[in-house]
Amino acid sequence: PFAVQSSQPALLDLRDAIQDLLAARLTSGDGGSRALDPLAVLSALRRTTSARDRDFIAVAAALGAGQLLRGDVGGSPNELSIEAALIEVPGGAVRAPARVKGSADSLTYLADRLAVRLLATQAARDSAELAGLGATSLPALRAYLAGRHAYRRGRLGANSDAAEHFERA
């Protein structure tokens, strides 16, 4: 869900368009990451009692998401500022914050730039985490990577695939 940080009514329509554009761009299509249907997510969010981040994270977890994309849209109908972050589900740790600014005429371009920045920031964090595992044994590294894979697929919880792999690592 993106919040509008402006009193401009035209930004409400742009907010919905940004959500759809980012959902399409953050889906790899190769069996990797995929975005949940924005309408299904918004429908589930409407059933919550508040608009707090922990409620968004709970809804994302209930839908089987491994990450939540939260963002803000601001500016005017001509000039946009879009901020977004990938947030861990569960937990709520911000994994990849990003921001873009530009002309509202180039919404598709702004969505592309934002998606690239989100993915690049996340990849840099993941690489830094993996670099810290260099002194770890190969079986432990494999178990850790399998745990990360299960975690991203939403197989979470105390007795989950992710928990088993992380425990073994």
Side-chain angles (χ1 to χ4, degrees), residues 91-108:
V94 175
R95 299 286 298 165
R99 182 178 187 184
V100 295
K101 285 180 137 182
S103 170
D105 296 14
S106 57
L107 186 60
T108 302

Side-chain angles (χ1 to χ4, degrees), residues 11-67:
L11 294 183
L12 291 173
D13 292 334
L14 293 177
R15 171 192 66 185
D16 294 340
I18 290 165
Q19 291 169 173
D20 291 337
L21 289 169
L22 286 172
R25 279 151 180 78
L26 294 174
T27 298
S28 69
D30 60 1
S33 63
R34 68 176 180 81
L36 296 171
D37 175 40
L39 290 176
V41 174
L42 292 174
S43 175
L45 285 171
R46 283 188 194 102
R47 293 189 294 269
T48 65
T49 57
S50 72
R52 293 183 296 239
D53 276 347
R54 67 181 160 83
D55 294 324
F56 292 141
I57 292 167
V59 168
L63 292 171
Q67 296 183 91

Side-chain angles (χ1 to χ4, degrees), residues 131-157:
L133 298 175
T136 306
S137 72
L138 185 57
L141 179 58
R142 285 186 177 139
Y144 172 80
L145 293 173
R148 294 278 303 167
H149 178 75
Y151 180 83
R152 283 192 297 276
R153 298 291 180 265
R155 296 192 299 258
L156 314 167

